[in-house]
Amino acid sequence: MSGGQQAESARPSPIKGKVKDESVWRADWWDVYPLTEQAKRPIAWAHGCAVFFAHPSLPLVICRILSTGRQFLIATSLASGYQPPTVITTSPDGSWLFAYFPSNDDDGIGCIWKRGATIEAWNLREHWPFPRGAGAVGTAWLGVAGRPWKLNSNGTLDRFPPSGPITPALNPSLLVVTEAMQVNVYYLRPFSAGFKVMSCTLTQPNMTHEGHASEARSLPLISGHSRMCVRAAIGSFPNESTVIVATRCRTYPSDSTKATANSSLDFTAPTDANEHHLFAVSSGGRTDWEFWSEESMIDFCEVNLKYDGAVLHLFTLPMGSIHHPSSHLISLDFVDTQLEARLAAPITGSSPHKDGSKPAGKSFSAYVAAAFLDFTEYSSMGKSDLLAISLTRSSQPVRAGQSPWTIQKLATRDFPSRTLTSIIAHAPLETALKPCLYAVLYNREGIASKPKHKQTAMGSISALNLVDLSDDPEWDSSTIYISAADAGTDFSLDAAVSPNGVLACLSYSQHIAVQSLPRRKSSQDVSNALSLPLAVAIKSKKPINDISHVLRHLSMSRSDTANLLCKTLGILVAGSQRGVTEAEAMGLVQASVELYGLKFPRMQLEFCKNLREKELFTRLRRVMVELCSMAAVRSSFEGCQDDGSYDLEAVWQLTNLSSWVVEFLENLMKECLLVVQAVELNEPEDSMVKKESADHLSISEAASEKLTKISHLLNEPIWLHLVHPLALSNMCTTLAHVIGFYNHVVNLTAKAEDAQIARDVLVDAVQCSGIDLKLLHFLFSECLTEINKQPAGEGTQMLAEGRTLPKLHDQLYQMIQKLAASSVADKSRLFIKPSDLVDGLTQLSLTKAPVRERDVVTNSVLITDEPAMTCIRCGGRSLANGNGIMGSHRSLRWGSWEKKWQTRCICGGEWSLDAIAKAMYKQ
């Protein structure tokens, strides 16, 4: 025995269950070995706030709502005999969900769900059998990813071209790689009753077309052995119609080999190792035990989906393979490195012609990263290594049967003291930045945390350069914390990045954990780090739940939040000749509802300095919701208007909206009158002091001093309705619609008797309001003319800060004075309602009368007994179902407008079931 072997044998080997030093935790080989056994607990982050992951032991998909931490099960009709899902994926737009469930002794099954109105409503659309040995391994969605936004080197936001094949309206189109080295494309044609499927093999050039019968293939055989795909990655790139599939296979004995091996057993004969062999010796001197393992090759295949105007065609063309001696592949992913070049290059395809020749195209390159874990002996922790592969396509034409691709190793790296469990491709939002890899690394030993600490640091997520796989010096790593009781024994099995790229979710054997991603060292400030993702989310109209989740755990004051929103607006405005569009401004308002809102009670109870700060956050959220409501009301009137008249089938719905607008204007006028009254009461009581101060100060200085004293009143968020051009324009236009609808209903003839009751209700609401709507509209129009003269940047800054700029206080106060001094308001009817007098006489009570809750969409009074949907962003409730029915009336125009809000609230938030959402707001 050599000295090295003696030293190794003298070293005490770890024993499972051994008591460890309480001050140090240490991982053992059996804690990491499940990674090599293709242990899969998939995880998928949906378009919104939902994270889907597999149940640890049952054939179920669990959904967790990020903002609340609540979980629910996705409904399935699977009987016993199925295993937990090994593949889970959601479409980029969040409308579809697919999961594959392997069977214990039968065919596996793949299920696809379509999302309903609420985040809990997932309806099983179809399910497909996957033959044994041909289960799903990898998936990708085609044609539903949209066109992402990126920040160019010149500082402007541009849209990328679509990724992958350009196909007709397929909703959706799902590409599935199976264990049998076959690619299946499931697609749903418009007006089609069910999904269709096309299949091609990945092992040789193949072509099929729509309508051609596709049969599930068995495992491909090589020298009497079966090759089964155990890992697959699918890459699609902007401005490229080509989809690249990378696969890794494992060799298993075929049925005939098993029968031969079993027939060689003779338990009655004497055992002789020299005469009887359990398995035959294969060529090359390797036994079947050695051959039945994971192959040392990574195979690549080009997949193309074409549409000729009538039918779809599916092409596959193998590209080649690359060898790597590591025996266990644990993670595989594609990385796109040509972000800037994709914007200008024309879309080219590379599918073969009918004669098999390959057309000339532009040069193309992409990268693939592969993580491996090898165990040379079971007493060691195994070796983690990372491989970067470059794929380059030549721009020169090639002959038939010849691949234009060049595949080569780019870099390798070992991690001797840490264990690599997952790699995550990171495509930066700035095209000028080089892409990098996120590596999920765990330490093999460490210092245990103190008993009072529930978590301890066990690893980190590091950003790596693609060129040499070294740590990128421009990025900081993100620490991975885990329960102190699980330190050294629990390693993540899968990872997923949030839709806006600011968080990662790691799945463990029994739970999942949300983890922050590395940040650039130049963007350690929260506003610098999150302003670009927030701007891109607003441009893309995506939810910002992951961004708000980061802010939830930070001490964000009003100034911090305003700084973030200002920088976001700066990105949206940069390079734009027309400034911020109305859609972008409303997107920022909707984001402000989430950042300032009651959705995160901890942000207001723990991080607010005092009660005044909490109340300010509440008022900010309320004003932002009012801005969204006013824009929605305006669009509803426009949708129900035709040639100056309004749809009388929606008379009750429009009456409810008009009543809400009148009530809102009453509150605004009350605030104006109260501000003027407060200024008058704060005048100096000593007339002599007042006279002396007037002698020493000029008129402008006196006015400035006066504005300084009431600045706290003019900084209230409610004045955004008067000083912001978009808010005032929406309010002025909506008021014009209310006046027009009122005149239209009042002048109804006797033939329209169905609307008589609604007319009486509307007349009472307008005439008893205490404000002159026509005169108020005239004054609003004059104010809007003055407001539109201010620079565009001032309006966007006010929207971000949620208050009036100090230099506009004088103009704001003049507007308030004009409204208060006019004859718009009848103060007696404005502050004292007839219903108050009646209620005071007939219904004397010591308790405060409950406030009537209104539907956040239709603004009608909610019936408390009926189940409603609740917005998880603003907390508003709604019964809107999109059918346009109220009583015996059905308005198609109103129904079309209601359908806009079936899956989204007016503030942009997602709907949740009433019971769950109510519990959320009670916590």
Side-chain angles (χ1 to χ4, degrees), residues 101-303:
F101 301 86
S103 176
N104 294 327
D105 52 5
D106 202 352
D107 295 346
I109 189 170
C111 301
I112 188 166
W113 292 266
K114 181 74 168 66
R115 186 189 155 167
T118 64
I119 55 178
E120 300 88 0
W122 289 91
N123 305 313
L124 182 62
R125 179 64 185 267
E126 280 193 30
H127 56 84
W128 312 299
F130 285 79
R132 189 173 180 84
V137 179
T139 59
W141 299 88
L142 305 177
V144 293
R147 298 177 57 190
W149 290 86
K150 301 281 185 179
L151 186 67
N152 269 340
S153 55
N154 58 5
T156 61
L157 287 173
D158 284 335
R159 294 189 73 181
F160 265 43
S163 300
I166 300 177
T167 58
L170 303 180
N171 187 22
S173 178
L174 178 64
L175 189 148
V176 179
V177 178
T178 68
E179 295 171 327
M181 290 295 289
Q182 183 176 345
V183 58
N184 299 339
V185 177
Y186 299 90
Y187 58 97
L188 187 62
R189 281 276 205 164
F191 311 107
S192 177
F195 281 81
K196 299 181 180 180
V197 60
M198 291 189 297
S199 301
C200 274
T201 180
L202 296 172
T203 58
Q204 60 187 6
N206 199 0
M207 179 179 66
T208 187
H209 58 82
E210 188 176 9
H212 183 267
S214 301
E215 297 181 359
R217 298 175 180 269
S218 59
L219 296 177
L221 298 179
I222 298 181
S223 301
H225 303 279
S226 299
R227 298 179 69 234
M228 177 182 289
C229 178
V230 294
R231 184 78 64 175
I234 303 172
S236 61
F237 310 96
N239 233 351
E240 285 291 333
S241 61
T242 296
V243 174
I244 302 176
V245 178
T247 56
R248 174 87 161 193
C249 291
R250 183 182 180 93
T251 305
Y252 290 90
S254 63
D255 294 338
S256 60
T257 306
K258 293 179 182 179
T260 305
N262 292 334
S263 63
S264 65
L265 291 176
D266 187 1
F267 293 101
T268 60
T271 58
D272 188 346
N274 295 325
E275 295 181 1
H276 299 281
H277 298 277
L278 182 61
F279 302 105
V281 177
S282 60
S283 60
R286 294 199 307 169
T287 64
D288 283 343
W289 280 115
E290 295 172 339
F291 193 74
W292 297 341
S293 61
E294 193 169 310
E295 296 179 352
S296 58
M297 306 293 291
I298 298 178
D299 303 313
F300 297 91
C301 185
E302 191 177 353
V303 179

Side-chain angles (χ1 to χ4, degrees), residues 833-882:
K833 298 296 182 183
S835 58
D836 298 334
L837 299 176
V838 174
D839 293 342
L841 294 175
T842 59
Q843 297 181 1
L844 292 175
S845 176
L846 297 178
T847 61
K848 186 178 180 180
V851 179
R852 297 182 302 174
E853 185 179 5
R854 286 184 175 269
D855 191 303
V856 70
V857 174
T858 65
N859 284 292
S860 59
V861 178
L862 279 175
I863 303 175
T864 56
D865 295 337
E866 291 192 30
M869 301 182 299
T870 302
C871 175
I872 63 175
R873 173 177 287 182
C874 69
R877 301 173 64 228
S878 176
L879 294 171
N881 52 18

Side-chain angles (χ1 to χ4, degrees), residues 72 149 228 264 342 464 507 517 552 577 615 658 698 795 887 900:
F72 59 90
W149 290 86
M228 177 182 289
S264 65
R342 302 252 188 257
L464 308 180
S507 67
L517 287 175
R552 176 184 185 179
Q577 298 179 355
E615 293 175 349
S658 300
S698 63
K900 293 170 55 178

Side-chain angles (χ1 to χ4, degrees), residues 197 289 444 671 815:
V197 60
W289 280 115
R444 297 179 177 178
E671 293 293 333
M815 295 170 59

